[in-house]
Amino acid sequence: MTDPLTPFRWLEADIGDESDLLGEIFCVSFFHRLDPAEVLSRFAPVSPAETMTFKESCGRARAYFEDTRDILYVGVAQVGEWSVAVEPWGGQAVLSTMMTRLSRAGEVVSVGRNDYARHRFAYAIDGTVVAGFNPAEPDRRWGSDPDRLSGLMREVGMDLEPPEGEWGVESWYGRPNQEPVARAFALAAKITGVALTLTAANRLQFVGAARKHERSTKTGRDGQRAMSREESAEIRQWAKAHGLPLSETRRIASSVVENAEDPRDMP
């Protein structure tokens, strides 16, 4: 029997592997019935659009990643009824604030890999995140209908029950490696019908452009940006995993929030 994760393992490639084109931090989003030009415009590009191959787009993104922390790069290609937006060496489309804007009047599936914080999966319709979760912790879901994708998640081998044993439900370090990124892309393929294999990606022509690295500007009275309950819970768990100082009764320090949202700043 063919292993269903085989086509997507390149998306979990280690540093230095031949297929390590996207880096340890990236985001891939699938937009239903939007052409690449419209998708690119939603990312608010700050440079002229360019047409290039997948490898060229990844190389351009890496150059921006190494030269500046304020500019990211996104490339968009058409695959049937879906446009595929790839943000190598960065990417924030899967964050709730971006998903709200990107999915307006449409349907978006987004997968984010982040080896320095946490991976993310989000399914949004018309500006609302329907279901979101960390692929390494699929039992912890949020959104307007967090169980909408449960059947498909089980089909790709995601365990929807909390882990048992000495580690308990509070520690995702206690879970064995279940190839969460590969499973997340297998799930995206179930929803969209688009299997992002390396061969398929190399055959696509991307329209790409640079974009500003956005940071949330919505703040509370104390000057700290507002965040959802889900975002707060994710950042708290990330901070604990990285040994950062954290109070259970006070707001999360702005420095911790910044590191969680842009882990390139972490040593």
Side-chain angles (χ1 to χ4, degrees):
M1 180 180 292
T2 304
D3 185 345
L5 296 186
T6 298
F8 309 107
R9 287 200 172 95
W10 73 277
L11 293 153
E12 292 207 63
D14 294 327
I15 299 174
D17 284 1
E18 183 179 352
S19 55
D20 175 31
L21 299 174
L22 293 171
E24 313 96 278
I25 309 172
F26 67 81
C27 184
V28 178
S29 302
F30 304 82
F31 295 77
H32 193 214
R33 294 180 178 174
L34 285 181
D35 62 39
E38 169 62 23
V39 172
L40 191 63
S41 72
R42 294 193 178 195
F43 282 91
V46 295
S47 71
E50 307 169 279
T51 300
M52 61 188 69
T53 66
F54 176 63
K55 288 187 176 180
E56 289 171 339
S57 181
C58 291
R60 189 65 56 87
R62 182 164 190 165
Y64 279 112
F65 173 80
E66 293 175 343
D67 290 344
T68 175
R69 64 189 295 272
D70 295 323
I71 297 293
L72 301 176
Y73 199 82
V74 57
V76 188
Q78 185 83 42
V79 184
E81 291 188 349
W82 296 80
S83 284
V84 182
V86 181
E87 299 174 88
W89 298 92
Q92 293 181 305
V94 75
L95 299 180
S96 297
T97 51
M98 280 287 285
M99 283 294 284
T100 297
R101 187 181 81 198
L102 294 176
S103 66
R104 69 179 186 272
E107 179 182 7
V108 180
V109 178
S110 191
V111 182
R113 172 180 169 177
N114 193 321
D115 289 0
Y116 301 97
R118 56 183 49 245
H119 312 311
R120 294 174 185 252
F121 183 100
Y123 174 58
I125 299 176
D126 196 18
T128 298
V129 176
V130 176
F133 58 92
N134 172 3
E137 299 177 292
D139 57 289
R140 298 184 174 186
R141 301 178 296 283
W142 60 84
S144 62
D145 187 4
D147 294 328
R148 173 83 65 91
L149 305 176
S150 294
L152 295 178
M153 292 170 71
R154 290 189 176 94
E155 288 183 18
V156 300
M158 291 185 175
D159 187 356
L160 305 190
E161 301 302 321
E164 299 179 357
E166 61 179 313
W167 290 96
V169 298
E170 295 300 325
S171 176
W172 57 277
Y173 278 123
R175 303 176 187 222
N177 178 17
Q178 296 293 333
E179 300 179 288
V181 175
R183 292 187 193 279
F185 277 95
L187 176 60
K190 290 274 188 183
I191 300 169
T192 65
V194 179
L196 190 66
T197 66
L198 182 56
T199 299
N202 283 330
R203 289 175 177 169
L204 297 175
Q205 285 292 310
F206 285 81
V207 179
R211 57 173 291 261
K212 283 286 187 180
H213 178 191
E214 296 186 13
R215 297 175 183 273
S216 176
T217 57
K218 185 179 179 181
T219 59
R221 294 179 181 178
D222 58 359
Q224 182 172 334
R225 82 167 183 84
M227 68 180 73
S228 69
R229 181 180 300 177
E230 291 81 10
E231 287 179 301
S232 176
E234 284 192 82
I235 291 175
R236 284 186 179 279
Q237 190 164 10
W238 178 88
K240 290 178 181 178
H242 287 79
L244 298 179
L246 193 67
S247 170
E248 295 294 340
T249 58
R250 297 180 181 178
R251 284 196 173 188
I252 305 172
S254 59
S255 59
V256 174
V257 175
E258 290 176 2
N259 281 331
E261 294 184 335
D262 186 12
R264 293 179 293 176
D265 295 338
M266 292 291 289

